[in-house]
Amino acid sequence: MQTDDSISRAIYIGRLLFRQADGQSLTDEERQAVDAWVRAEPGRERILDATLDRRAIAAALRELLERYDTQRSMSIVFDQLGLTEVIRTPEPARKASIHPLRWAAAAAVILLVGAGAWLVRDRRGHASAPPAIVFHAPDIPPGTNKAILTLAGGRQVVLDSTGNGPIAQQGSVRIVNRNGHLVYEGTTDAVFLNKVATPRGGQYQFDLPDGSRVWLNAASSITFPTAFVGGERKVTLTGEAFFDVARDQRHPFVVEANGTHISVLGTSFDVMAYSDEEALRTTLVQGAVSVSRDGRDRLLAPGEQAIVRPGSPISVDAHADVDKAIAWKTGYFMFDDTDLKTLMREVSRWYDIDIVYGVTDFSGKYGGRISRNSSLRQLTELLEGNDIYHYKIDGRKLIVLP
């Protein structure tokens, strides 16, 4: 439910955008308010640039009007922004009669009232879907910071985002929970293998014995020694992790994942190696990374992504979307022309749910950004707004409907 403050702000910002686009001057304070609004959410400039898709904008406005009329008359917002004509005018018969600058104000309403996230429907177009189906079922909260530490010998320790103090001792190495993060202290020649694993619905951040930092995504695990000895610092990954590697010229840092060998000296990069994904992807943020498989090597530069598919040579995307690759680490889902099944695999892991498909047409695509702090119901409401598919929550199952 949106507050009166958020609706009032939609009216205010929408008016300013309309005046600015119409060539009217704004005061310094008003310009600062518009600039702050644009900076507050990545993608807002993109949405405003995309307002030529008038049919989708009008449909979204109608959906907002239906959603909020039972709580507070949303028609007031549209009347004050001059958008009533946009909603009521059939497309495309009277398209030319609508002032084009009103579409910027329409986008402002969608962004400000639309739960702090944005989504763009598939531009290829789909037949209009039936009205969104509303089901009453308990909501499912998003994932949290949690993991299981498995020590040498099999003892398991539950990790979460709270607490301070020692957890365990492995030889002369002390394992400490420091402000919710796992830290290994001390050095030893007696090496023990440890594993940190996150369940579905969990993520965790911790430091390796060499000081390298790891962010572990949901349904992932990393196995590592309590002390790095020998010529390399080697860890084994399943799932997905972001690494910020401590620099050590004499001891390369090596990640083994699904038969792929990733070697670095000191750098930041993401490895996505879920077994149910069609490819392993290594995305380099800074530094240098060498990706090897089946005797073939590729060296990455910052901003590049290595793609490893079974039975195929390593390919490199020289213009990878780094923000999209590491969006999970910064607390977001980010989609770009993403098909339903790919999107739902990520949703399933984060909310610890099973996906049931009641559709056979998977041609719809999504683009946009949604906070991973959203509940499952909030997420599905945003997806519903695209009129591509509809959703029903049934216990811990999410059912996709036509």
Side-chain angles (χ1 to χ4, degrees), residues 344 353-359 390-392 396-401:
M344 283 297 144
I353 57 173
D354 295 321
I355 308 298
V356 177
Y357 293 102
V359 296
H390 300 293
Y391 304 88
K392 173 185 177 181
R396 298 204 72 84
K397 291 180 181 179
L398 181 63
I399 303 172
V400 183
L401 302 167

Side-chain angles (χ1 to χ4, degrees), residues 38-50 111 118 120 334 368-369:
V38 172
R39 290 195 305 269
E41 286 288 343
R44 282 183 171 172
E45 289 181 351
R46 177 181 172 187
I47 294 297
L48 291 176
D49 291 341
L111 284 164
W118 57 269
V120 184
M334 189 171 286
R369 192 185 84 145

